[in-house]
Amino acid sequence: MTTCYLALDVGGSKLSAAIVGDHGEVLVRDRVPTPQREVASALGRLASRVLAAAPAVPAAVGVGCAGPMDPTTGTVHPLHIPSLQGVALEEELAALTGLPVAVDHNAKALALGEAWGGAAVGERDFVAVMMGSAVGGGIVSRGRLLEGRLGNAGQLGHVVVEPEGRSCACGGRGCVEAYCSGRAIEDETGRPPQRAPQAIVERTGILMGRALASVGAVCDLRLAVVGGSVALGFGEPFFTAAQAEIDQRARVPSTVGLRVVPAGLGQLAPLVGAAALARRALERSARRA
């Protein structure tokens, strides 16, 4: 049996866990709805259940979680999961599993996973976007995942696309997340995103394309990979609207040709991405040894 990893994805609507092999293949997986309270305990039980079905002892644990995060205290502060705010998730999972644990933003995990085995294989400069209950981003520049001052680089969900627009959970106004997240769409339409009317699907694509055009110009990118239940559920109409908006707005010569594509790993992208976090942590540890 080759090396495998325990992968955990912490979202606003569901908690997912998997055993992922060293080539990005998902061997075992399970998920539960995200509870209103005691999310860390529910995640621990899910992790234990998946570990019991693992074909071998994983080498490490990778966790993709909504942000922001505070590396100075080792805590997570997901805006839409109140019971996880201030929780030292890495410490708790390390105590539970006895394994090395790496925790990072789920969108940064998506970027690593798509570079490992998805739509960004061989790409050195791209942005990955997670569109689920919240919206996040991970930026890869010259083959390196951007971390930022506190590890929170890539918060694309808080790029402003409608000045003086809707209030956002971050405290600002007009953010991408206030329009394009699953929560925002459900609040507006009174129905889950998968049943959103066509006009909302197209508007979501336009606003995401607007944000991507700006990020592409700032970071000198030619590719945007978008995953998550909202984007993948909307499908081609969303991506067509996003690409049309990019083509209209990305007019600086260096950004002309910026493409937006669906996550190549599909719905498995968050779990493969979480495994990629664990894989990267082990590689870094080996280099330091």
Side-chain angles (χ1 to χ4, degrees), residues 114 118-120 127-129 212 222-227 231-232 238-239 242-243 246 258-264:
E114 287 293 311
V127 59
V129 183
L212 290 172
R222 296 300 299 275
L223 178 68
V225 179
V226 185
L232 298 182
F238 164 82
F239 285 96
Q243 187 65 64
I246 289 171
L258 173 63
R259 295 182 299 120
V260 58
V261 300

Side-chain angles (χ1 to χ4, degrees), residues 104-204:
D104 212 329
H105 289 272
N106 50 14
K108 289 168 69 181
L110 174 68
L112 290 177
E114 287 293 311
W116 184 15
V121 171
E123 297 286 343
R124 291 178 54 80
D125 301 274
F126 68 96
V127 59
V129 183
M130 179 69 75
M131 291 180 62
S133 297
V135 178
I139 299 167
V140 173
S141 179
R142 294 196 173 186
R144 297 178 65 87
L145 183 65
L146 298 185
E147 301 289 353
R149 181 176 60 92
L150 294 175
N152 290 299
Q155 290 288 299
L156 190 138
H158 302 290
V159 170
V160 175
V161 289
E162 291 285 12
E164 305 307 318
R166 292 181 189 162
S167 297
C168 180
C170 73
R173 301 188 71 87
C175 298
V176 170
E177 189 167 295
Y179 292 88
C180 300
S181 67
R183 287 178 182 272
I185 292 166
E186 189 163 352
D187 286 346
E188 179 180 3
T189 64
R191 59 180 75 173
Q194 60 266 32
R195 294 176 52 209
Q198 191 71 10
I200 296 294
V201 172
E202 292 177 358
R203 187 195 68 188
T204 303

